[in-house]
Amino acid sequence: MNSFPETTGSRESDTDASPMKIFHALMKHKVQEILLISSPYDAFIMEQDGRLAGRIIHEYRGLNLSRPPRLTWVSTAGEALALLEKKWVDLVITMPRVDDMHPFELGGLIRSRFPRLPSFLLAHTTSPQLHAFSPTASSPFDQLFVWEGNTDLLLALVKQVEDRLNVAADTRRAQVPVIILVEDSPLYLSRLVPMLYREIVLQTRRVIEDAPNEEHRILRMRARPKLLTAGTYEEAQVLYREYRDFVCSVISDARFPKNGRLDPAAGVSLLRMVRADRPELPLLQLSADAQNRRAADAVSAVFLNKDDPLLGEGLRSFLQEHLGFGDFVFRYPSGKEFARVPTLQALSEILHRIPDAVLCYHAARNQFSAWLMARAEIELAAQLRPLKVSDFSDPEEIRRHLTHCIDARRKARQRGEVLDFSPDAFAPDAPFTKIGNGSLGGKARGLVFFSSLLEREQKGFEEYENVQIGIPSALVITTEGFDLFMAQSGLDRVDFQAPGDAAIRRAFFHAPFPPDLHRDLSVFVAKMRSPLAVRSSSLLEDSQAQPFAGVYDTILLPNHHASGAKRLSDLVAAIKQVYASIFLSSARTFARNTLRHTGEDKMAVLIQPLAGTRRENLFYPAVSGVAHSHNFYPLSYMKPEDGVACIAVGFGKTVMDGLGGLRFCPKYPELLPGFSSVTDILDAAQQRFYALDMSDADPPDASPDTGPLVAAAIEQAQHHFPVRYLCDTYLPEENRLRASAGSGGHPVVTFSNILKHKSPPLGAILSRLLEIGRKGMGGGVELEFSLDAPDAREGGKWQLSVLQIRPMAGVHPYPQTAISEKERERAVCFSEQALGNGWFEGIQDVLYVKPDEFAPARNVDLAAAVAMLNHRIRKAGGRYLLVGPGRWGSADRWLGIPVRWKDISEVGVVVETASEQMAAAPSQGTHFFHNITSRGIGYITIRNGGRDFLDRRWLETLQVVYDTPLAAHLRAPAPLTIKIDGKTARAVILA
């Protein structure tokens, strides 16, 4: 058996490669082409007895393996030799009856012409060649096997060749386990090899069922144990010495050749040698003579009779009990079973309740490492194998160490991976789990991608010892679930253009939910008791071109009802609501103006535990916010690429809806121009924050606008640690702020501890995260995050959670649109703070907010007037210049004009004017502002002071198309020329 190709290769180390990269490198050599040389009758018998070709294909499909080997049949030696000259073949199987040449002569010719080609002789039990054949180094065949109609033998031959070809490289790369079988009888070998491979395949199927996803399943097939066969003592000795460190068992016949003659004691001699070298190794003695049991007992080997009709069951029992195949069975020292577990997760969960005697019994026999090795957990098995019970002070230390190692390994293999949901193996702390085989959608896809980036960049955060940085665990219902829901409910046949939003929501609420999805979610709800965010993750969300930010629903659920059925019902209702949001009028309007159609979109749903902590009856994170890698409004010595962030106490609705928050540059967090005086600080400081109300055990149904969120006063929660930590104290009698919150004054949110004193250094961490995101996505990014306080617990860490990352629309290299001084002099509008780039032509209509009539108290009426004028312009088919004071899109009418997307859907360029009645910061950072930029809308800000100006006299000369008390639709005599230079942030409007 020395004709297989050498596969030792280079001896470079693969220890630095990830487990998945190592698995990719395994099983490099595959049997793809098999040549069968036999008489037509033998070929007919094989096909009829075993349906050979179909059996091979079925087996490969069952193991998720691609490209099953192809079988080519020829009936003569001439055909065989001619084919071998023309075509690459990986394995030749010759049967005794070949019409034009003796099979041994043919085998010799093939060996002489193709010395490295594996070649087997497959004889019938009654064939005379069986007795004439002797497996020596000079024989033309590598091995003789006996065909008894068992197609498993043909599959076993393929695996035998592949194991021989790959064993040297795979053991070196990944410590793949090796089983050595010593048997000189072709008849018994032909029975034993298929039996062993059948059990190896069954074990591999168990292993891949525990794999986190499809890729892992396919790759783990390559790490299955290798089976190497030997026919003499010397061959077995060579194999053992070559692969000593990887051998997991030796299975040996009792009588076989040693020193050139048949030795009845060769088997026990071999096992005695192995036992002396590796005392812990499981050994199996096979013999047709029952008297050899005593010799097996002498070397602590299991004994099986080769002629026992239940030999297969005996082999299975040996592999399960001693090599870790199948479940891990916990036993008392007496042998009585205590419990059994099928997966790594189940093993971790049960360790805390295993009796000390049981734990030590298995640890002393190294059975944990054997079971892990059999499950392709090679690294973990290698980590545990050298340890002895005497290395630990007591059983409890063994238990802790095992639990720690298993949990660390389980979490490590999940990082950056999306696991397939399994009701039996679902773990709430798994980073990403998906139900279905559809798309994850944009939002979930972005988080999975960023998770992989964080995994590679871990060392860059080691200096922040008191901050745990990560992404909350997530369950994703892929778009396959959406398709299934729409099809089974019949909603895929409904035209959603006519019904109003309320009718659409009702239809989705009452639609039946897919039973399989309902069953999976019941498992999720049973294991997840923390508050949940049910978030949209459509195909179009967070895309590079048109990120549909904030267009679809997010539902927050307290998830604290005592009844699991009620919590499940709430979750299903929330998912239906997210599904419905894809068809609502606001989504259709936004899609239409981005040249998309809601019919193109599909909805995945992202379900995550809410980041935060329950404090009395309120659940909230200490801080939430959004950060951008590009700052369109840099101040002082800030640069646009330094980025910008906006934060607030509690949930991010405060920031996303434009209700306030503190804006700062992550690179210079202590530089806060808006906080230059006590008066400025008091005016800008956050007064209320959003939190989840946990007081009602049976909360009302959530809505996307408010849900169970409440706007709590900062003073109401000033005794909570995070609020106290983030506030300073205002002393009215002294008109000053005292560092840190305390009695005798009013709490004022300043974030000074985390911005000025950098405890924790939020600015530095955000800068690092934004840089990682910018490089990974190839451009500007927007990051939503939360930061939760440890509540001063001993050893507690701040928890920074990345909640969403998406491309920052409008940030990419622009060709310069130069604006000359002459253009500035003849412009009707000029700004040195503009967002966008390029020429905006063809705009002739102007929607103008009358400055003399403007007042914050009338902002709701103004929003209605703007929406009406927008509707009139849309019917006429034009785009317009919107001119008026900011901030646009604010949910708080006292801070800005509360328009929604559909209210200004036809806008081409916005001119945001300054107003003494509202000194709010620009709308940057909100979903509203993000979508302005994603659609390529120019945004021009006119500031008081400096060189910015807007010629209002020119506006008064324009034709009035339609007038209202608060705003007017005007039209210029000719289309305007609007230029924005993205490099200098300058803009002009030329009439």
Side-chain angles (χ1 to χ4, degrees):
M1 295 185 290
N2 57 359
S3 60
F4 287 87
E6 294 181 11
T7 56
T8 54
S10 62
R11 305 298 293 184
E12 75 276 4
S13 171
D14 294 289
T15 54
D16 292 334
S18 70
M20 281 298 101
K21 288 181 179 178
I22 291 173
F23 283 150
H24 271 289
L26 300 181
M27 294 293 288
K28 179 180 178 181
H29 301 283
K30 303 288 181 59
V31 172
Q32 295 294 331
E33 296 287 343
I34 304 172
L35 174 61
L36 175 63
I37 309 169
S38 76
S39 69
Y41 180 67
D42 280 336
F44 173 80
I45 290 175
M46 292 182 68
E47 183 61 28
Q48 291 302 309
D49 284 353
R51 299 291 179 184
L52 183 56
R55 180 75 176 84
I56 290 175
I57 293 172
H58 175 76
E59 180 78 9
Y60 270 68
R61 286 177 177 171
L63 293 174
N64 293 309
L65 295 176
S66 59
R67 296 186 63 189
R70 185 169 59 177
L71 187 69
T72 301
W73 169 73
V74 296
S75 61
T76 68
E79 289 177 307
L81 293 171
L83 185 144
L84 288 172
E85 292 291 347
K86 295 186 301 183
K87 178 181 177 181
W88 178 269
V89 170
D90 300 294
L91 170 62
V92 175
I93 300 175
T94 304
M95 298 194 76
R97 288 188 286 265
V98 180
D99 186 49
D100 57 342
M101 189 178 295
H102 191 281
F104 281 83
E105 183 183 353
L106 174 58
L109 283 174
I110 293 174
R111 174 67 72 229
S112 64
R113 297 184 188 183
F114 309 98
R116 302 169 71 85
L117 176 60
S119 178
F120 297 141
L121 179 65
L122 188 60
H124 295 285
T125 310
T126 58
S127 173
Q129 284 87 345
L130 173 63
H131 307 288
F133 179 75
S134 176
T136 66
S138 60
S139 81
F141 299 104
D142 295 296
Q143 279 179 299
L144 169 66
F145 290 91
V146 178
W147 172 255
E148 294 183 305
N150 179 11
T151 359
D152 285 344
L153 175 59
L154 274 299
L155 294 166
L157 298 187
V158 172
K159 295 180 176 72
Q160 270 280 279
V161 173
E162 291 182 340
D163 282 359
R164 284 282 184 167
L165 292 174
N166 294 290
V167 64
D170 290 1
T171 50
R172 185 185 70 251
R173 286 192 180 108
Q175 302 181 46
V176 170
V178 171
I179 300 172
I180 296 177
L181 170 65
V182 189
E183 176 60 70
D184 67 322
S185 165
L187 184 60
Y188 283 117
L189 192 67
S190 301
R191 295 173 181 173
L192 289 169
V193 170
M195 285 181 185
L196 287 168
Y197 272 120
R198 189 183 307 120
E199 294 306 318
I200 289 172
V201 167
L202 288 173
Q203 170 64 7
T204 306
R205 283 177 172 156
R206 296 186 192 101
V207 169
I208 64 176
E209 286 171 5
D210 190 31
N213 55 35
E214 192 67 20
E215 181 190 21
H216 281 246
R217 292 187 185 100
I218 295 172
L219 295 176
R220 283 192 179 191
M221 283 301 308
R222 303 178 182 179
R224 64 167 176 79
K226 300 283 191 286
L227 177 63
L228 303 181
T229 59
T232 69
Y233 184 94
E234 289 73 25
E235 286 178 356
Q237 200 172 39
V238 168
L239 289 177
Y240 178 76
R241 287 172 179 170
E242 177 70 18
Y243 303 108
R244 175 194 178 278
D245 294 338
F246 315 110
V247 172
C248 63
S249 180
V250 176
I251 302 173
S252 177
D253 187 16
R255 184 180 61 175
F256 50 83
K258 179 182 180 184
N259 296 325
R261 63 182 182 82
L262 203 59
D263 186 345
V268 73
S269 297
L270 177 68
L271 296 182
R272 186 180 297 112
M273 180 270 291
V274 174
R275 176 64 70 215
D277 184 58
R278 294 275 305 278
E280 84 287 354
L281 207 64
L283 304 177
L284 174 61
Q285 173 84 76
L286 296 171
S287 178
D289 186 350
Q291 294 183 5
N292 282 317
R293 183 184 298 272
R294 186 175 302 172
D297 292 340
V299 292
S300 301
V302 176
F303 178 84
L304 290 177
N305 192 317
K306 289 198 296 184
D307 290 334
D308 190 336
L310 299 178
L311 176 61
E313 292 297 320
L315 280 174
R316 179 179 298 115
S317 177
F318 171 77
L319 295 173
Q320 291 179 348
E321 292 290 329
H322 299 277
L323 268 68
F325 282 34
D327 296 344
F328 190 97
V329 182
F330 286 96
R331 298 185 184 277
Y332 291 97
S334 64
K336 180 183 177 183
E337 181 177 325
F338 173 79
R340 61 176 61 213
V341 292
T343 64
L344 195 62
Q345 179 184 334
L347 178 64
S348 173
E349 292 172 351
I350 202 175
L351 277 174
H352 73 280
R353 59 187 184 89
I354 295 298
D356 290 352
V358 174
L359 184 69
C360 292
Y361 173 79
H362 292 287
R365 287 159 178 77
N366 235 335
Q367 290 177 346
F368 291 112
S369 63
W371 188 77
L372 292 167
M373 179 65 79
R375 300 191 70 78
E377 295 291 350
I378 296 165
E379 291 178 298
L380 183 54
Q383 181 182 353
L384 296 177
R385 188 166 59 189
L387 300 177
K388 299 180 177 62
V389 172
S390 59
D391 294 332
F392 299 90
S393 58
D394 54 36
E396 192 57 37
E397 188 180 358
I398 298 175
R399 195 188 316 275
R400 286 196 303 269
H401 183 74
L402 275 173
T403 303
H404 170 75
C405 290
I406 292 171
D407 288 348
R409 170 64 190 132
R410 187 169 56 85
K411 290 176 181 178
R413 82 177 186 186
Q414 293 171 354
R415 292 193 191 108
E417 299 287 344
V418 181
L419 284 63
D420 292 333
F421 182 88
S422 168
D424 297 329
F426 171 69
D429 61 345
F432 296 98
T433 306
K434 68 181 175 72
I435 298 177
N437 294 318
S439 171
L440 301 175
K443 196 174 291 182
R445 188 171 54 236
L447 286 177
V448 173
F449 173 71
F450 197 63
S451 175
S452 66
L453 294 182
L454 287 180
E455 176 65 16
R456 294 199 297 265
E457 299 287 343
Q458 280 185 337
K459 291 184 178 179
F461 295 98
E462 288 178 352
E463 60 183 292
Y464 311 119
E465 297 179 354
N466 67 330
V467 183
Q468 184 73 36
I469 301 167
I471 295 172
S473 61
L475 175 70
V476 183
I477 302 174
T478 68
T479 54
E480 184 179 76
F482 175 76
D483 290 338
L484 194 63
F485 170 78
M486 296 294 292
Q488 291 187 0
S489 63
L491 291 171
D492 59 341
R493 299 185 295 276
V494 175
D495 180 5
F496 290 103
Q497 299 296 321
D501 287 355
I504 292 173
R505 289 195 185 278
R506 282 196 301 272
F508 274 74
F509 180 81
H510 293 293
F513 201 68
D516 289 348
L517 189 53
H518 194 276
R519 183 172 58 252
D520 288 345
L521 290 175
S522 68
V523 175
F524 171 80
V525 165
K527 295 186 177 183
M528 183 68 73
R529 296 300 300 266
S530 62
L532 299 173
V534 184
R535 312 172 69 195
S536 64
S537 183
S538 82
L539 293 179
L540 298 181
E541 269 186 294
D542 297 357
S543 68
Q544 293 281 352
Q546 299 289 348
F548 280 38
V551 175
Y552 304 130
D553 286 355
T554 290
I555 313 297
L556 304 185
L557 299 174
N559 191 38
H560 66 326
H561 197 281
S563 167
K566 175 64 168 74
R567 290 187 287 112
L568 177 60
S569 173
D570 290 343
L571 178 58
V572 169
I575 293 169
K576 290 180 179 180
Q577 188 161 296
V578 172
Y579 284 163
S581 67
I582 204 171
F583 299 102
L584 301 183
S585 58
S586 56
R588 294 200 304 271
T589 300
F590 185 85
R592 182 178 62 249
N593 285 279
T594 57
L595 303 180
R596 297 295 187 100
H597 188 275
T598 51
E600 301 175 35
D601 210 356
K602 291 185 179 183
M603 184 65 72
V605 178
L606 178 66
I607 307 171
Q608 293 178 290
L610 275 176
T613 302
R614 180 169 182 170
R615 299 167 175 101
E616 297 179 319
N617 285 327
L618 298 177
F619 183 98
Y620 62 96
V623 178
S624 292
V626 61
H628 297 86
S629 61
H630 191 94
N631 183 7
F632 293 112
Y633 297 94
L635 300 170
S636 185
Y637 44 79
M638 301 175 189
K639 298 178 181 179
E641 58 269 24
D642 292 335
V644 65
C646 186
I647 58 175
V649 176
F651 283 111
K653 182 177 173 65
T654 302
V655 174
M656 294 303 164
D657 286 354
L659 298 176
L662 176 61
R663 192 174 310 276
F664 68 96
C665 173
K667 190 171 182 179
Y668 308 105
E670 69 284 349
L671 181 60
L672 302 172
F675 273 27
S676 57
S677 69
V678 172
T679 301
D680 290 341
I681 294 173
L682 293 177
D683 289 344
Q686 184 179 354
Q687 302 295 319
R688 306 182 75 80
F689 69 97
Y690 281 107
L692 195 62
D693 184 3
M694 304 290 286
S695 60
D696 189 352
D698 190 8
D701 292 336
S703 76
D705 295 324
T706 58
L709 288 182
V710 293
I714 290 293
E715 290 192 352
Q716 174 187 341
Q718 61 181 307
H719 58 290
H720 294 170
F721 170 73
V723 175
R724 188 170 69 251
Y725 189 78
L726 300 172
C727 287
D728 287 344
T729 301
Y730 174 62
L731 304 175
E733 64 279 4
E734 303 176 24
N735 192 33
R736 72 178 181 88
L737 286 168
R738 183 179 65 201
S740 74
S743 58
H746 303 284
V748 179
V749 179
T750 62
F751 301 100
S752 59
N753 276 327
I754 61 175
L755 299 182
K756 181 179 179 181
H757 303 299
K758 302 178 182 178
S759 179
L762 178 61
I765 295 173
L766 289 179
S767 290
R768 180 72 181 135
L769 292 172
L770 289 171
E771 179 63 12
I772 292 171
R774 187 192 65 77
K775 288 183 178 179
M777 290 193 164
V781 293
E782 178 176 333
L783 195 76
E784 291 183 26
F785 63 91
S786 69
L787 179 69
D788 199 31
D791 275 342
R793 294 186 297 270
E794 184 178 355
K797 290 185 176 183
W798 289 80
Q799 301 289 325
L800 191 143
S801 301
V802 177
L803 306 178
Q804 187 171 352
I805 185 169
R806 54 176 169 255
M808 187 177 176
V811 184
H812 47 78
Y814 288 117
Q816 186 173 356
T817 307
I819 295 173
S820 67
E821 190 62 24
K822 287 185 178 180
E823 287 176 319
R824 189 190 74 82
E825 291 173 356
R826 66 184 183 89
V828 296
C829 178
F830 174 78
S831 171
E832 293 183 312
Q833 184 169 299
L835 169 60
N837 188 82
W839 297 63
F840 299 79
E841 297 180 308
I843 295 177
Q844 194 168 354
D845 293 298
V846 180
L847 201 164
Y848 179 51
V849 176
K850 300 177 180 179
D852 296 337
E853 305 299 329
F854 176 75
R858 307 177 72 183
N859 275 349
V860 174
D861 295 334
L862 175 56
V866 168
M868 183 271 293
L869 294 174
N870 177 83
H871 179 69
R872 290 176 58 88
I873 296 173
R874 184 178 67 191
K875 289 180 67 176
R879 301 185 75 198
Y880 60 84
L881 174 72
L882 175 62
V883 180
R887 77 176 60 160
W888 290 96
S890 172
D892 188 338
R893 66 175 186 174
W894 301 103
L895 293 178
I897 303 170
V899 290
R900 302 182 68 181
W901 268 115
K902 60 183 180 180
D903 300 333
I904 60 165
S905 60
E906 311 309 310
V907 69
V909 176
V910 177
V911 176
E912 183 173 307
T913 60
S915 171
E916 295 182 357
Q917 300 182 59
M918 287 195 310
S923 312
Q924 177 181 343
T926 66
H927 284 148
F928 181 94
F929 201 80
H930 181 92
N931 287 325
I932 284 278
T933 62
S934 71
R935 293 170 58 192
I937 295 171
Y939 205 96
I940 301 171
T941 302
I942 305 298
R943 299 170 295 185
N944 289 328
R947 301 205 304 166
D948 295 1
F949 66 84
L950 172 66
D951 188 346
R952 297 189 183 276
R953 289 178 296 178
W954 166 75
L955 285 167
E956 293 169 358
T957 66
L958 301 182
Q959 173 193 353
V960 178
V961 179
Y962 194 89
D963 198 15
T964 76
L966 299 177
H969 173 195
L970 311 177
R971 180 167 294 154
L976 305 172
T977 297
I978 304 172
K979 294 175 65 177
I980 300 179
D981 182 352
K983 185 174 182 180
T984 64
R986 300 170 71 197
V988 292
I989 299 178
L990 305 173

